[in-house]
Amino acid sequence: MGHYARGIDEFGDADEVRLRANHYMTGRDGGRDIDLRAFARDGMRLYGHLRAISATRLDFAGDLAQSLDNADAVAEGIKDAIDRYIDSAGIVAPAEARYVPVWRPDSSPSVLDLAASGISAVVWATGFHRDHRWIEVPIFDGRGYPTHERGVTGCPGLYFLGLPWQWTWGSGRFAGVAQDAAYLSSRILDARRQRFTDEVSWLAGTPTETYPQVEWWAAA
């Protein structure tokens, strides 16, 4: 479908696109649905987003139902896009019934008392984020994101690879990082060639066969 090949320059709000969360998915056993509603039906307790922590009390927003509906809408939108591609490409594929929510919250709990609930430990499973503070070079924006063009920064010799949305949605995935690596390799080689030739003075009228053959030097 080319979904992960879309460049960041195709979006009018590139800065915001880079901050969007990725979809959670699984490929285990051929791929299975990750359905929060099914988890809740089977005993998991779901809450809205965390608003505050006070001693042993956690306070949540009352947006659980809305969050679940939004997640379902995104999932169904992805399936619709896949179905449209299947139809346009003339692919023969089995049909899938539309998703029907298997659980809905009666209410959205707003407070959780850890002691009263018998909870003695909390594990924050929220992933991770970038921390480039150890790079003391003025190339970062106000959010700590490196300013670059396809991984090439304004600081000579400093490049980035594997950033989410470095160039495409696939940049932060195995599916797309090779393309970015190839691009950076060519830019690095070009920069080294340019630096090498800039450092050598050539007399006017020098035969072209005496020009530097820098491939051997750059490869070294």
Side-chain angles (χ1 to χ4, degrees), residues 98-116:
R98 302 301 296 189
Y99 175 73
V100 177
V102 297
W103 178 86
R104 293 185 183 277
D106 295 329
S107 60
S108 184
S110 59
V111 176
L112 176 63
D113 188 309
L114 300 180

Side-chain angles (χ1 to χ4, degrees), residues 196-214:
F196 182 76
T197 55
D198 287 348
E199 291 173 353
V200 179
S201 298
W202 298 97
L203 295 176
T206 302
T208 56
E209 59 267 19
T210 65
Y211 287 5
Q213 300 297 320
V214 298

Side-chain angles (χ1 to χ4, degrees), residues 2-22:
H3 194 67
Y4 289 135
R6 296 182 63 190
I8 191 70
D9 59 344
E10 297 182 35
F11 297 84
D13 56 342
D15 291 337
E16 296 302 321
V17 167
R18 282 194 169 110
L19 296 177
R20 291 176 187 169
N22 285 316

Side-chain angles (χ1 to χ4, degrees), residues 6-101:
R6 296 182 63 190
I8 191 70
D9 59 344
E10 297 182 35
F11 297 84
D13 56 342
D15 291 337
E16 296 302 321
V17 167
R18 282 194 169 110
L19 296 177
R20 291 176 187 169
N22 285 316
H23 308 125
Y24 50 84
M25 58 188 69
T26 173
R28 182 179 178 181
D29 299 330
R32 295 179 295 178
D33 286 342
I34 302 177
D35 188 348
L36 294 177
R37 296 182 190 272
F39 292 158
R41 177 199 60 195
D42 296 338
M44 180 182 288
R45 296 166 63 182
L46 302 182
Y47 296 82
H49 74 270
L50 183 64
R51 299 180 59 183
I53 301 176
S54 177
T56 62
R57 166 176 165 160
L58 304 182
D59 292 282
F60 299 93
D63 57 358
L64 175 59
Q66 180 182 354
S67 296
L68 291 173
D69 289 341
N70 290 342
D72 290 345
V74 171
E76 292 303 291
I78 294 173
K79 295 176 185 177
D80 290 340
I82 294 173
D83 287 341
R84 288 193 297 270
Y85 177 78
I86 289 174
D87 292 340
S88 64
I91 298 174
V92 178
E96 181 183 61
R98 302 301 296 189
Y99 175 73
V100 177

Side-chain angles (χ1 to χ4, degrees), residues 165-181:
W165 279 105
Q166 178 164 310
W167 179 239
T168 68
W169 201 355
S171 290
R173 296 174 166 84
F174 288 124
V177 70
Q179 179 183 5
D180 292 332

